Coordinates of all heavy atoms in Angstrom, one line a residue:
A66 N -3.2 9.1 3.0 CA -3.4 7.7 2.7 C -4.1 7.6 1.4 O -4.9 8.5 1.0 CB -4.2 7.0 3.8
A84 N 5.2 15.6 -3.3 CA 5.1 17.1 -3.3 C 4.8 17.7 -2.0 O 5.2 18.8 -1.7 CB 4.0 17.5 -4.3
A131 N -9.5 -7.0 31.1 CA -8.6 -8.2 30.6 C -8.4 -8.0 29.1 O -7.2 -8.4 28.7 CB -9.4 -9.5 30.8
D208 N -2.2 -13.6 23.4 CA -1.2 -13.2 24.4 C 0.1 -13.8 24.1 O 0.2 -14.9 23.8 CB -1.8 -13.7 25.8 CG -1.0 -13.1 26.9 OD1 0.1 -13.7 27.3 OD2 -1.3 -12.0 27.4
L220 N -8.4 -18.9 16.1 CA -9.2 -17.7 16.3 C -9.7 -17.2 15.0 O -10.8 -16.8 14.9 CB -8.3 -16.7 17.1 CG -8.1 -17.0 18.5 CD1 -6.9 -16.1 19.0 CD2 -9.3 -16.8 19.3
Y239 N -7.0 -6.7 7.1 CA -5.9 -5.9 6.8 C -4.6 -6.4 7.5 O -4.7 -6.8 8.7 CB -6.1 -4.4 7.1 CG -7.2 -3.8 6.3 CD1 -8.5 -3.9 6.7 CD2 -6.8 -3.1 5.1 CE1 -9.5 -3.3 5.8 CE2 -7.8 -2.5 4.3 CZ -9.1 -2.6 4.7 OH -10.1 -2.0 3.9
A242 N 2.3 -5.1 5.4 CA 2.9 -5.8 4.3 C 4.2 -6.4 4.7 O 4.7 -7.4 4.0 CB 3.2 -4.8 3.2

Side-chain angles (χ1 to χ4, degrees):
D208 189 270
L220 288 164
Y239 292 87

